[in-house]
Amino acid sequence: MIEYIKGEISELNPTYVVIEQGNIGYYIHIGLHTYSKIQSLKEVKLYTFQYIREDIRMMFGFSNKEERRIFELFLNISGIGPNTARLIISSMTPSQVVNAISMEDDESFKNVKGIGAKTAKRIIIDLKDKIEQLDISPSTSSETPLPESTNTQMVEAREALLTLGFPRNKVQMALAKIKKEGHGDSVENIIKEALKLLS
């Protein structure tokens, strides 16, 4: 297994990054919080997880080991695949995940696309003991986004949401509402608001 990849960013999107290392470009799927931490960098080090199932080969990248560990824990839960796990870590920070599990707040997980009542309760039951082994404080945290131009950030947010599997018409409606209400100050915030509207 590849522990991490360090190299120059040749392409970056809210859902993936291409890192060039040794004349090889690695296509790595990422979540929203990792994107927000690396969007201003030229060179990056991402901890990786390789998802291999039959004919599926996917590599996921994380800005820290804690987020990768949480991603792996979600994959061990019946009914949660890599795309749903990525949606969760895009909607919630590692601290918010730990907080929701500690407080048995299943509503936080039900707000994520693809997570129903049964799965939300299963997350809490299955991970209640395991999160105690993680060195993450149960608290809410927020990222300070970098300013971007409105048109560019809307396009990036739309492409990211479409990549995550949301229908184009619903994405367009959600983005129109966000733009009208003036919440479009960064790609990260646009996607977070859209995830709430699309859940």
Side-chain angles (χ1 to χ4, degrees):
M1 176 177 171
I2 300 174
E3 173 65 9
Y4 65 82
I5 293 178
K6 182 178 180 180
E8 292 186 2
I9 296 176
S10 63
E11 189 176 348
L12 179 62
N13 181 283
T15 58
Y16 72 87
V17 61
V18 177
I19 298 178
E20 184 175 340
Q21 171 57 251
N23 296 321
I24 298 175
Y26 294 91
Y27 186 102
I28 305 171
H29 299 273
I30 59 174
L32 185 56
H33 297 297
T34 291
Y35 168 77
S36 70
K37 290 183 178 180
I38 69 174
Q39 61 179 332
S40 62
L41 303 177
K42 291 183 179 179
E43 186 173 283
V44 68
K45 175 182 178 180
L46 291 184
Y47 295 95
T48 59
F49 176 85
Q50 292 172 283
Y51 183 84
I52 302 174
R53 293 290 186 279
E54 298 175 359
D55 60 341
I56 301 175
R57 301 286 188 276
M58 302 173 76
M59 182 178 289
F60 292 85
F62 310 89
S63 61
N64 55 62
K65 292 183 179 181
E66 290 76 18
E67 189 175 36
R68 180 176 67 180
R69 179 58 181 147
I70 287 177
F71 179 83
E72 291 174 340
L73 289 176
F74 281 128
L75 290 183
N76 290 327
I77 297 174
S78 176
I80 295 183
N83 289 326
T84 300
R86 180 171 60 168
L87 270 176
I88 297 173
I89 64 172
S90 290
S91 303
M92 306 165 69
T93 65
S95 293
Q96 289 169 342
V97 169
V98 171
N99 189 57
I101 294 172
S102 300
M103 301 297 292
E104 299 187 4
D105 176 18
D106 59 334
E107 289 297 324
S108 292
F109 295 109
K110 283 160 59 177
N111 288 331
V112 178
K113 180 191 177 186
I115 302 292
K118 290 183 179 179
T119 303
K121 291 185 182 300
R122 191 180 304 124
I123 289 173
I124 293 172
I125 293 171
D126 289 359
L127 302 186
K128 185 79 172 177
D129 295 330
K130 294 179 182 178
I131 61 165
E132 295 177 359
Q133 303 169 12
L134 300 174
D135 187 22
I136 302 174
S137 300
S139 61
T140 57
S141 63
S142 59
E143 302 290 341
T144 303
L146 298 176
E148 301 177 73
S149 69
T150 303
N151 289 337
T152 300
Q153 66 193 16
M154 282 292 179
V155 170
E156 287 188 26
R158 183 187 67 214
E159 293 307 310
L161 292 165
L162 291 174
T163 301
L164 290 172
F166 291 99
R168 182 175 293 274
N169 62 330
K170 291 186 177 181
V171 168
Q172 296 284 53
M173 290 173 63
L175 294 181
K177 183 176 181 180
I178 291 168
K179 188 172 183 179
K180 183 178 180 181
E181 294 178 352
H183 296 309
D185 59 341
S186 73
V187 174
E188 182 184 5
N189 281 350
I190 291 172
I191 295 175
K192 281 185 177 180
E193 291 298 321
L195 288 174
K196 293 176 184 177
L197 295 173
L198 293 167
S199 61

